[in-house]
Amino acid sequence: QLAHFEITDDELATVKGLFDAEQHYQRENMQGIARRLGSFETTAGGFEVDAQVKAKIAALTTADIQRVAKETLRFDRIVVSGLLPNDCGLTEAQVHQLLDAALQEPVAPLARPPGLQRAVATPVTQGTTARPTRELRQLTLPSGATLLLKEERTVPLFSMRATFRGGLLSETAKTNGISSMVSRVMTRGAGTMGAEDISQRIDALAGSLSAVAGRSSFTLRGDFLSKHFDTAFGLFTEVLQ
């Protein structure tokens, strides 16, 4: 597909966003930073290359992707490996036959789901003071919920957690397993959005959103780039409701 049909601008923007997010996530701790520097030093010619990667990725076009796909994704360079049971019966001749048949088969473009509006970076609203604080703040909302806030500007990321009493300890013999089931379906639909809609929105925001059921609690968790705060927070609350 990549070698025969150009990807769309929206698809490329989504991949670039995911790549950008991954770079920030890898810098969240010293282990991630050390791993990146060591990798670039040993495989890319020097750790200085790390600083150049972002600019090079940002400059990529859909034509660049297709050009590289045509140069590298070729059947004369393919390597097929497999871990098969002894009685499988698959032979090397059969593998060549399958590859030859695939090569002769006409390539048709894949059907793409309706595109979503690309996430727009929105500035994070600043407080009245320009001096950042890392103190933990605790607020009580009108609903009675407790809100804990802590600012950390080391990397341009933000994390959200909505935690409730629940999980395994709140289940009975009749409801055993319901917390796990709810955690699996929570991001499969919200309001007018289906599972694929939510998945596409998460990808467009270059983040993650999932639910987990523990022994005594139930949590919805989200991690996103700070520049997408307003849009990501809206998605988080919509799934939560």
Side-chain angles (χ1 to χ4, degrees):
Q1 290 290 323
L2 284 176
H4 291 83
F5 305 101
E6 272 195 20
I7 63 174
T8 67
D9 291 335
D10 283 343
E11 288 171 328
L12 181 58
T14 296
V15 173
K16 286 183 178 181
L18 291 170
F19 179 87
D20 188 33
E22 181 62 25
Q23 310 312 298
H24 293 308
Y25 291 137
Q26 290 179 0
R27 294 184 176 94
E28 281 189 292
N29 52 55
M30 291 304 297
Q31 293 94 329
I33 295 175
R35 190 180 302 114
R36 283 183 61 85
L37 294 178
S39 175
F40 280 105
E41 181 67 27
T42 56
T43 64
F47 67 87
E48 301 86 357
V49 178
D50 188 15
Q52 307 168 11
V53 170
K54 185 174 181 178
K56 290 183 177 181
I57 294 296
L60 285 176
T61 65
T62 57
D64 292 329
I65 302 297
Q66 189 176 39
R67 174 180 55 78
V68 173
K70 287 181 177 180
E71 293 174 355
T72 58
L73 303 180
R74 293 165 39 181
F75 275 81
D76 60 339
R77 297 181 179 179
I78 195 170
V79 175
V80 179
S81 61
L83 185 61
L84 307 172
N86 292 330
D87 58 351
C88 175
L90 182 64
T91 65
E92 182 178 349
Q94 290 174 318
V95 172
H96 282 287
Q97 185 178 4
L98 291 172
L99 292 176
D100 290 339
L103 187 59
Q104 298 301 322
E105 185 176 344
V107 180
L110 292 175
R112 291 185 169 93
L116 293 173
Q117 185 176 1
R118 190 179 304 173
V120 178
T122 53
V124 179
T125 304
Q126 301 294 327
T128 55
T129 175
R131 184 179 180 180
T133 176
R134 295 184 179 181
E135 295 180 357
L136 180 64
R137 290 182 290 167
Q138 179 174 333
L139 304 172
T140 300
L141 302 180
S143 63
T146 299
L147 178 64
L148 300 176
L149 297 173
K150 185 172 183 179
E151 185 177 357
E152 176 56 68
R153 296 191 177 185
T154 305
V155 289
L157 306 169
F158 75 95
S159 298
M160 300 176 287
R161 301 292 187 270
T163 303
F164 308 87
R165 290 181 180 177
L168 185 61
L169 291 181
S170 67
E171 298 177 359
T172 66
K174 290 185 177 180
T175 61
N176 184 241
I178 192 170
S179 299
S180 178
M181 184 189 71
V182 172
S183 69
R184 292 174 181 271
V185 302
M186 196 165 185
T187 55
R188 303 290 292 176
T192 60
M193 294 186 297
E196 189 168 347
D197 297 322
I198 294 176
S199 178
Q200 287 184 3
R201 289 175 185 266
I202 294 171
D203 285 346
L205 295 169
S208 63
L209 182 62
S210 62
V212 59
R215 289 187 177 88
S216 59
S217 64
F218 185 90
T219 301
L220 178 66
R221 57 192 182 188
D223 300 282
F224 297 90
L225 295 175
S226 298
K227 64 182 181 180
H228 294 320
F229 177 82
D230 288 349
T231 308
F233 186 74
L235 177 61
F236 185 88
T237 55
E238 192 167 355
V239 171
L240 186 60
Q241 293 172 350

